[in-house]
mmCIF file of all heavy atoms in Angstrom:
data_model
loop_
_atom_site.group_PDB
_atom_site.id
_atom_site.type_symbol
_atom_site.label_atom_id
_atom_site.label_comp_id
_atom_site.label_asym_id
_atom_site.label_seq_id
_atom_site.Cartn_x
_atom_site.Cartn_y
_atom_site.Cartn_z
ATOM 1 N N PHE A 888 -6.628 -9.532 -14.564
ATOM 2 C CA PHE A 888 -5.823 -9.958 -13.417
ATOM 3 C C PHE A 888 -4.402 -10.171 -13.934
ATOM 4 O O PHE A 888 -4.206 -10.757 -15.007
ATOM 5 C CB PHE A 888 -6.382 -11.310 -12.946
ATOM 6 C CG PHE A 888 -6.325 -11.567 -11.469
ATOM 7 C CD1 PHE A 888 -7.098 -12.602 -10.915
ATOM 8 C CD2 PHE A 888 -5.515 -10.827 -10.620
ATOM 9 C CE1 PHE A 888 -7.081 -12.880 -9.553
ATOM 10 C CE2 PHE A 888 -5.497 -11.105 -9.251
ATOM 11 C CZ PHE A 888 -6.278 -12.129 -8.726
ATOM 12 N N HIS A 890 -0.833 -11.845 -12.650
ATOM 13 C CA HIS A 890 -0.035 -12.579 -11.660
ATOM 14 C C HIS A 890 1.425 -12.501 -12.077
ATOM 15 O O HIS A 890 1.851 -13.163 -13.012
ATOM 16 C CB HIS A 890 -0.473 -14.044 -11.594
ATOM 17 C CG HIS A 890 -1.600 -14.285 -10.651
ATOM 18 N ND1 HIS A 890 -2.882 -13.871 -10.895
ATOM 19 C CD2 HIS A 890 -1.630 -14.908 -9.432
ATOM 20 C CE1 HIS A 890 -3.657 -14.229 -9.880
ATOM 21 N NE2 HIS A 890 -2.927 -14.860 -8.972
ATOM 22 N N GLU A 901 2.661 -19.964 -10.142
ATOM 23 C CA GLU A 901 2.974 -19.248 -8.897
ATOM 24 C C GLU A 901 3.030 -20.141 -7.656
ATOM 25 O O GLU A 901 3.376 -19.676 -6.585
ATOM 26 C CB GLU A 901 1.961 -18.104 -8.715
ATOM 27 C CG GLU A 901 0.571 -18.513 -8.249
ATOM 28 C CD GLU A 901 -0.248 -19.269 -9.283
ATOM 29 O OE1 GLU A 901 0.192 -19.383 -10.437
ATOM 30 O OE2 GLU A 901 -1.325 -19.763 -8.911
ATOM 31 N N TRP A 902 2.703 -21.426 -7.816
ATOM 32 C CA TRP A 902 2.732 -22.336 -6.656
ATOM 33 C C TRP A 902 3.988 -23.204 -6.612
ATOM 34 O O TRP A 902 4.130 -24.073 -5.752
ATOM 35 C CB TRP A 902 1.466 -23.229 -6.656
ATOM 36 C CG TRP A 902 0.320 -22.578 -5.960
ATOM 37 C CD1 TRP A 902 -0.215 -21.356 -6.228
ATOM 38 C CD2 TRP A 902 -0.450 -23.110 -4.852
ATOM 39 N NE1 TRP A 902 -1.258 -21.080 -5.376
ATOM 40 C CE2 TRP A 902 -1.428 -22.147 -4.526
ATOM 41 C CE3 TRP A 902 -0.403 -24.301 -4.125
ATOM 42 C CZ2 TRP A 902 -2.354 -22.333 -3.485
ATOM 43 C CZ3 TRP A 902 -1.340 -24.490 -3.089
ATOM 44 C CH2 TRP A 902 -2.294 -23.512 -2.780
ATOM 45 N N THR A 946 -0.868 -8.434 -8.677
ATOM 46 C CA THR A 946 -0.348 -9.133 -7.495
ATOM 47 C C THR A 946 0.817 -8.350 -6.886
ATOM 48 O O THR A 946 1.935 -8.384 -7.388
ATOM 49 C CB THR A 946 0.177 -10.530 -7.881
ATOM 50 O OG1 THR A 946 1.033 -10.406 -9.023
ATOM 51 C CG2 THR A 946 -0.956 -11.476 -8.206
ATOM 52 N N HIS A 949 2.488 -12.149 -3.746
ATOM 53 C CA HIS A 949 1.777 -13.435 -3.788
ATOM 54 C C HIS A 949 2.315 -14.337 -2.686
ATOM 55 O O HIS A 949 3.130 -13.919 -1.868
ATOM 56 C CB HIS A 949 1.878 -14.049 -5.201
ATOM 57 C CG HIS A 949 0.771 -15.005 -5.493
ATOM 58 N ND1 HIS A 949 0.867 -16.350 -5.217
ATOM 59 C CD2 HIS A 949 -0.473 -14.824 -5.995
ATOM 60 C CE1 HIS A 949 -0.276 -16.941 -5.553
ATOM 61 N NE2 HIS A 949 -1.113 -16.036 -6.031
ATOM 62 N N HIS A 950 1.868 -15.591 -2.669
ATOM 63 C CA HIS A 950 2.231 -16.487 -1.562
ATOM 64 C C HIS A 950 3.743 -16.685 -1.429
ATOM 65 O O HIS A 950 4.230 -16.992 -0.345
ATOM 66 C CB HIS A 950 1.568 -17.858 -1.732
ATOM 67 C CG HIS A 950 0.096 -17.824 -2.034
ATOM 68 N ND1 HIS A 950 -0.727 -16.803 -1.627
ATOM 69 C CD2 HIS A 950 -0.708 -18.705 -2.715
ATOM 70 C CE1 HIS A 950 -1.956 -17.049 -2.041
ATOM 71 N NE2 HIS A 950 -1.984 -18.187 -2.713
ATOM 72 N N TYR A 993 -4.011 -7.155 -5.516
ATOM 73 C CA TYR A 993 -4.022 -8.478 -4.894
ATOM 74 C C TYR A 993 -3.023 -8.461 -3.753
ATOM 75 O O TYR A 993 -1.895 -7.962 -3.905
ATOM 76 C CB TYR A 993 -3.612 -9.523 -5.938
ATOM 77 C CG TYR A 993 -3.417 -10.936 -5.402
ATOM 78 C CD1 TYR A 993 -4.359 -11.937 -5.663
ATOM 79 C CD2 TYR A 993 -2.290 -11.280 -4.661
ATOM 80 C CE1 TYR A 993 -4.173 -13.236 -5.195
ATOM 81 C CE2 TYR A 993 -2.105 -12.567 -4.188
ATOM 82 C CZ TYR A 993 -3.049 -13.538 -4.456
ATOM 83 O OH TYR A 993 -2.855 -14.814 -3.992
ATOM 84 N N TRP A 999 5.097 -17.848 2.134
ATOM 85 C CA TRP A 999 5.937 -19.053 2.236
ATOM 86 C C TRP A 999 7.405 -18.719 2.489
ATOM 87 O O TRP A 999 8.255 -19.607 2.521
ATOM 88 C CB TRP A 999 5.830 -19.896 0.943
ATOM 89 C CG TRP A 999 4.443 -20.379 0.645
ATOM 90 C CD1 TRP A 999 3.489 -20.743 1.538
ATOM 91 C CD2 TRP A 999 3.859 -20.566 -0.660
ATOM 92 N NE1 TRP A 999 2.338 -21.141 0.881
ATOM 93 C CE2 TRP A 999 2.547 -21.043 -0.471
ATOM 94 C CE3 TRP A 999 4.323 -20.375 -1.967
ATOM 95 C CZ2 TRP A 999 1.686 -21.345 -1.530
ATOM 96 C CZ3 TRP A 999 3.464 -20.669 -3.025
ATOM 97 C CH2 TRP A 999 2.169 -21.146 -2.802
ATOM 98 N N ARG A 1008 -1.670 -24.961 5.660
ATOM 99 C CA ARG A 1008 -1.611 -26.220 4.931
ATOM 100 C C ARG A 1008 -0.445 -26.241 3.922
ATOM 101 O O ARG A 1008 0.123 -27.283 3.648
ATOM 102 C CB ARG A 1008 -2.928 -26.380 4.170
ATOM 103 C CG ARG A 1008 -3.353 -27.788 3.954
ATOM 104 C CD ARG A 1008 -4.474 -27.751 2.948
ATOM 105 N NE ARG A 1008 -5.775 -28.052 3.518
ATOM 106 C CZ ARG A 1008 -6.301 -29.275 3.518
ATOM 107 N NH1 ARG A 1008 -5.630 -30.294 3.073
ATOM 108 N NH2 ARG A 1008 -7.508 -29.456 3.981
ATOM 109 N N THR A 1009 -0.096 -25.060 3.410
ATOM 110 C CA THR A 1009 0.907 -24.978 2.339
ATOM 111 C C THR A 1009 2.205 -24.328 2.832
ATOM 112 O O THR A 1009 2.251 -23.798 3.938
ATOM 113 C CB THR A 1009 0.361 -24.158 1.151
ATOM 114 O OG1 THR A 1009 0.157 -22.814 1.597
ATOM 115 C CG2 THR A 1009 -0.957 -24.726 0.640
ATOM 116 N N TRP A 1047 -7.589 -7.132 -2.796
ATOM 117 C CA TRP A 1047 -8.072 -8.474 -3.146
ATOM 118 C C TRP A 1047 -7.228 -9.491 -2.369
ATOM 119 O O TRP A 1047 -6.090 -9.777 -2.741
ATOM 120 C CB TRP A 1047 -7.865 -8.647 -4.637
ATOM 121 C CG TRP A 1047 -8.722 -9.581 -5.411
ATOM 122 C CD1 TRP A 1047 -9.755 -9.234 -6.223
ATOM 123 C CD2 TRP A 1047 -8.586 -11.020 -5.562
ATOM 124 N NE1 TRP A 1047 -10.271 -10.355 -6.846
ATOM 125 C CE2 TRP A 1047 -9.570 -11.457 -6.451
ATOM 126 C CE3 TRP A 1047 -7.722 -11.972 -5.009
ATOM 127 C CZ2 TRP A 1047 -9.737 -12.790 -6.817
ATOM 128 C CZ3 TRP A 1047 -7.876 -13.304 -5.361
ATOM 129 C CH2 TRP A 1047 -8.884 -13.704 -6.254
ATOM 130 N N ASP A 1049 -6.170 -13.139 -0.564
ATOM 131 C CA ASP A 1049 -6.177 -14.547 -0.958
ATOM 132 C C ASP A 1049 -5.335 -15.331 0.049
ATOM 133 O O ASP A 1049 -4.313 -14.825 0.518
ATOM 134 C CB ASP A 1049 -5.566 -14.672 -2.363
ATOM 135 C CG ASP A 1049 -5.862 -16.010 -3.029
ATOM 136 O OD1 ASP A 1049 -6.702 -16.778 -2.517
ATOM 137 O OD2 ASP A 1049 -5.248 -16.285 -4.081
ATOM 138 N N GLY A 1050 -5.752 -16.550 0.377
ATOM 139 C CA GLY A 1050 -4.922 -17.416 1.219
ATOM 140 C C GLY A 1050 -5.563 -17.870 2.515
ATOM 141 O O GLY A 1050 -5.044 -18.766 3.186
ATOM 142 N N TRP A 1052 -7.958 -19.713 3.071
ATOM 143 C CA TRP A 1052 -8.260 -21.145 3.030
ATOM 144 C C TRP A 1052 -7.090 -22.010 3.515
ATOM 145 O O TRP A 1052 -7.231 -23.186 3.784
ATOM 146 C CB TRP A 1052 -8.657 -21.568 1.611
ATOM 147 C CG TRP A 1052 -7.920 -20.828 0.552
ATOM 148 C CD1 TRP A 1052 -8.394 -19.786 -0.200
ATOM 149 C CD2 TRP A 1052 -6.544 -20.994 0.148
ATOM 150 N NE1 TRP A 1052 -7.415 -19.308 -1.038
ATOM 151 C CE2 TRP A 1052 -6.279 -20.033 -0.848
ATOM 152 C CE3 TRP A 1052 -5.527 -21.871 0.522
ATOM 153 C CZ2 TRP A 1052 -5.035 -19.904 -1.470
ATOM 154 C CZ3 TRP A 1052 -4.276 -21.749 -0.088
ATOM 155 C CH2 TRP A 1052 -4.051 -20.785 -1.059
ATOM 156 N N ASP A 1053 -5.913 -21.408 3.643
ATOM 157 C CA ASP A 1053 -4.729 -22.171 4.060
ATOM 158 C C ASP A 1053 -4.855 -22.690 5.497
ATOM 159 O O ASP A 1053 -4.167 -23.630 5.884
ATOM 160 C CB ASP A 1053 -3.489 -21.268 3.943
ATOM 161 C CG ASP A 1053 -2.197 -22.066 3.845
ATOM 162 O OD1 ASP A 1053 -2.188 -23.091 3.129
ATOM 163 O OD2 ASP A 1053 -1.201 -21.671 4.468
ATOM 164 N N ASP A 1055 -7.627 -23.953 6.689
ATOM 165 C CA ASP A 1055 -8.930 -24.633 6.710
ATOM 166 C C ASP A 1055 -8.982 -25.777 7.738
ATOM 167 O O ASP A 1055 -10.054 -26.199 8.138
ATOM 168 C CB ASP A 1055 -9.322 -25.122 5.303
ATOM 169 C CG ASP A 1055 -8.347 -26.139 4.731
ATOM 170 O OD1 ASP A 1055 -7.240 -26.291 5.273
ATOM 171 O OD2 ASP A 1055 -8.692 -26.783 3.717
ATOM 172 N N ASN A 1083 -10.786 -13.785 -1.280
ATOM 173 C CA ASN A 1083 -11.014 -15.035 -2.019
ATOM 174 C C ASN A 1083 -10.945 -16.229 -1.063
ATOM 175 O O ASN A 1083 -10.127 -17.127 -1.224
ATOM 176 C CB ASN A 1083 -9.946 -15.151 -3.116
ATOM 177 C CG ASN A 1083 -10.156 -16.367 -3.996
ATOM 178 O OD1 ASN A 1083 -11.293 -16.768 -4.261
ATOM 179 N ND2 ASN A 1083 -9.070 -16.974 -4.450
ATOM 180 N N HIS A 1085 -13.385 -18.340 -0.540
ATOM 181 C CA HIS A 1085 -14.272 -19.422 -0.998
ATOM 182 C C HIS A 1085 -15.485 -19.618 -0.092
ATOM 183 O O HIS A 1085 -16.072 -20.696 -0.068
ATOM 184 C CB HIS A 1085 -13.506 -20.761 -1.140
ATOM 185 C CG HIS A 1085 -12.257 -20.681 -1.978
ATOM 186 N ND1 HIS A 1085 -11.154 -21.458 -1.749
ATOM 187 C CD2 HIS A 1085 -11.940 -19.923 -3.047
ATOM 188 C CE1 HIS A 1085 -10.197 -21.191 -2.625
ATOM 189 N NE2 HIS A 1085 -10.659 -20.254 -3.433
ATOM 190 N N GLU A 1098 -13.838 -18.174 -7.702
ATOM 191 C CA GLU A 1098 -12.597 -18.553 -8.374
ATOM 192 C C GLU A 1098 -12.879 -19.667 -9.367
ATOM 193 O O GLU A 1098 -13.384 -20.724 -8.990
ATOM 194 C CB GLU A 1098 -11.555 -19.004 -7.332
ATOM 195 C CG GLU A 1098 -10.242 -19.449 -7.949
ATOM 196 C CD GLU A 1098 -9.108 -19.633 -6.925
ATOM 197 O OE1 GLU A 1098 -9.264 -19.252 -5.759
ATOM 198 O OE2 GLU A 1098 -8.061 -20.170 -7.323
ATOM 199 N N ARG A 1099 -12.561 -19.426 -10.609
ATOM 200 C CA ARG A 1099 -12.644 -20.415 -11.689
ATOM 201 C C ARG A 1099 -14.055 -20.918 -11.975
ATOM 202 O O ARG A 1099 -14.235 -21.926 -12.646
ATOM 203 C CB ARG A 1099 -11.755 -21.632 -11.403
ATOM 204 C CG ARG A 1099 -10.261 -21.353 -11.533
ATOM 205 C CD ARG A 1099 -9.500 -22.665 -11.422
ATOM 206 N NE ARG A 1099 -8.054 -22.500 -11.338
ATOM 207 C CZ ARG A 1099 -7.234 -22.494 -12.384
ATOM 208 N NH1 ARG A 1099 -7.708 -22.613 -13.598
ATOM 209 N NH2 ARG A 1099 -5.934 -22.380 -12.214
ATOM 210 N N GLY A 1108 -14.706 -26.946 -7.870
ATOM 211 C CA GLY A 1108 -14.740 -27.397 -6.476
ATOM 212 C C GLY A 1108 -14.411 -26.327 -5.446
ATOM 213 O O GLY A 1108 -14.210 -26.630 -4.279
ATOM 214 N N LEU A 1109 -14.359 -25.066 -5.868
ATOM 215 C CA LEU A 1109 -14.025 -23.991 -4.924
ATOM 216 C C LEU A 1109 -15.225 -23.083 -4.646
ATOM 217 O O LEU A 1109 -15.108 -22.079 -3.963
ATOM 218 C CB LEU A 1109 -12.874 -23.139 -5.492
ATOM 219 C CG LEU A 1109 -11.569 -23.870 -5.836
ATOM 220 C CD1 LEU A 1109 -10.642 -22.987 -6.663
ATOM 221 C CD2 LEU A 1109 -10.862 -24.343 -4.573
ATOM 222 N N CYS A 1122 -12.990 -14.774 -10.968
ATOM 223 C CA CYS A 1122 -11.675 -14.745 -11.610
ATOM 224 C C CYS A 1122 -11.443 -16.070 -12.333
ATOM 225 O O CYS A 1122 -11.878 -17.128 -11.891
ATOM 226 C CB CYS A 1122 -10.568 -14.454 -10.605
ATOM 227 S SG CYS A 1122 -10.452 -15.602 -9.222
ATOM 228 N N TRP A 1129 -2.200 -19.291 -13.346
ATOM 229 C CA TRP A 1129 -2.243 -17.853 -13.003
ATOM 230 C C TRP A 1129 -0.901 -17.193 -13.333
ATOM 231 O O TRP A 1129 -0.829 -16.254 -14.101
ATOM 232 C CB TRP A 1129 -2.594 -17.681 -11.524
ATOM 233 C CG TRP A 1129 -3.885 -18.323 -11.149
ATOM 234 C CD1 TRP A 1129 -4.037 -19.563 -10.594
ATOM 235 C CD2 TRP A 1129 -5.205 -17.798 -11.317
ATOM 236 N NE1 TRP A 1129 -5.377 -19.826 -10.407
ATOM 237 C CE2 TRP A 1129 -6.111 -18.770 -10.832
ATOM 238 C CE3 TRP A 1129 -5.722 -16.596 -11.813
ATOM 239 C CZ2 TRP A 1129 -7.497 -18.577 -10.845
ATOM 240 C CZ3 TRP A 1129 -7.098 -16.404 -11.815
ATOM 241 C CH2 TRP A 1129 -7.972 -17.385 -11.343
ATOM 242 N N GLY A 1130 0.166 -17.735 -12.734
ATOM 243 C CA GLY A 1130 1.494 -17.215 -13.041
ATOM 244 C C GLY A 1130 1.979 -17.805 -14.359
ATOM 245 O O GLY A 1130 1.488 -18.867 -14.805
HETATM 246 O O1 H79 B 1008 -3.661 -16.461 -7.035
HETATM 247 C C1 H79 B 1008 -4.242 -17.562 -7.668
HETATM 248 C C2 H79 B 1008 -3.824 -18.840 -7.042
HETATM 249 O O2 H79 B 1008 -2.437 -18.905 -6.812
HETATM 250 C C3 H79 B 1008 -4.601 -18.888 -5.756
HETATM 251 N N1 H79 B 1008 -5.763 -18.045 -6.034
HETATM 252 C C4 H79 B 1008 -5.706 -17.631 -7.410
HETATM 253 C C5 H79 B 1008 -6.433 -16.348 -7.657
HETATM 254 C C6 H79 B 1008 -5.029 -20.264 -5.522
HETATM 255 N N2 H79 B 1008 -4.410 -21.329 -5.974
HETATM 256 N N3 H79 B 1008 -5.046 -22.388 -5.683
HETATM 257 N N4 H79 B 1008 -6.072 -22.019 -5.054
HETATM 258 C C7 H79 B 1008 -6.113 -20.705 -4.927
HETATM 259 C C8 H79 B 1008 -7.027 -22.967 -4.708
HETATM 260 C C9 H79 B 1008 -6.959 -23.387 -3.345
HETATM 261 C C10 H79 B 1008 -7.349 -24.631 -3.201
HETATM 262 C C11 H79 B 1008 -7.651 -25.171 -1.982
HETATM 263 FE FE1 H79 B 1008 -6.643 -26.088 -0.686
HETATM 264 C C12 H79 B 1008 -8.199 -26.423 -1.885
HETATM 265 C C13 H79 B 1008 -7.758 -24.502 -0.773
HETATM 266 C C14 H79 B 1008 -8.318 -25.401 0.109
HETATM 267 C C15 H79 B 1008 -8.575 -26.607 -0.580
HETATM 268 C C16 H79 B 1008 -4.748 -26.336 -1.396
HETATM 269 C C17 H79 B 1008 -5.268 -27.548 -0.959
HETATM 270 C C18 H79 B 1008 -4.750 -25.483 -0.320
HETATM 271 C C19 H79 B 1008 -5.251 -26.135 0.763
HETATM 272 C C20 H79 B 1008 -5.553 -27.392 0.353
#
Side-chain angles (χ1 to χ4, degrees):
F888 214 164
H890 273 71
E901 76 290 353
W902 273 55
T946 49
H949 204 270
H950 311 332
Y993 173 106
W999 299 326
R1008 210 192 251 266
T1009 65
W1047 206 103
D1049 196 11
W1052 35 258
D1053 201 41
D1055 62 346
N1083 184 34
H1085 308 148
E1098 179 168 350
R1099 288 188 188 269
L1109 303 167
C1122 58
W1129 303 96

